Amino acid sequence: MSLRSRLPIAVAACALAVTALATPAVAGDEWGSDSPSASGNHQNQGQNQSQSQNQGQGQGQHPRLYRGVVTASSLALRSAPNRGGQIIRWAERGEVVSIFCRTNGQNIQGNRQWYLLTDGTWAWGSARYIRTTGTTPRWC
């Protein structure tokens, strides 16, 4: 792997490490659910929906970002591409997210791919619960 292909991964890892230290974890350990009862009363639920509406306007400007839509009623976005990663924030059904790249991680219901999201924080979301719009994200 060349230095040029490693650089985005190193930048993302550093940003993720800083964010993980500065962002408190949300109580609970749900990682994504298709059932409405699992969404509960998470912090930032209303903020996330309004943020996604505002962010959707400028996402097409950055050629290296891709888009996706959360399909789970509530999805934990994590510090690592597995269920053991610290919860950085929650994304709600219908939220539009910016995807930086994809990688293989923990298998979630038959899908090993995880997306590195860049919506204000760097966090990993299982591709099982994010439907991409447009082109498939590049590999990290």
Side-chain angles (χ1 to χ4, degrees):
M1 189 182 271
S2 71
L3 178 61
R4 186 174 188 183
S5 63
R6 288 185 205 164
L7 185 59
I9 296 170
V11 170
C14 289
L16 189 56
V18 169
T19 301
L21 293 174
T23 307
V26 177
D29 196 26
E30 297 173 52
W31 56 274
S33 171
D34 290 325
S35 67
S37 62
S39 65
N41 212 5
H42 301 304
Q43 278 182 324
N44 302 328
Q45 189 171 10
Q47 284 180 331
N48 290 342
Q49 290 174 344
S50 63
Q51 285 175 351
S52 68
Q53 291 169 353
N54 294 338
Q55 291 172 348
Q57 297 168 359
Q59 288 176 341
Q61 296 174 356
H62 196 289
R64 297 187 66 153
L65 295 181
Y66 305 85
R67 284 188 181 186
V69 177
V70 175
T71 60
S73 60
S74 184
L75 177 63
L77 302 180
R78 298 184 174 272
S79 62
N82 59 60
R83 288 193 199 159
Q86 178 184 9
I87 297 172
I88 305 263
R89 73 174 186 90
W90 291 91
E92 304 301 324
R93 183 186 313 264
E95 184 175 335
V96 176
V97 293
S98 297
I99 303 169
F100 183 73
C101 62
R102 64 184 164 136
T103 193
N104 285 327
Q106 183 177 12
N107 187 327
I108 305 298
Q109 295 185 358
N111 191 333
R112 290 187 56 215
Q113 290 186 15
W114 287 68
Y115 297 134
L116 181 57
L117 307 178
T118 63
D119 300 300
T121 59
W122 291 79
W124 294 96
S126 171
R128 165 67 177 89
Y129 296 105
I130 300 172
R131 177 181 43 86
T132 57
T133 58
T135 57
T136 303
R138 70 178 180 276
W139 290 98
C140 294

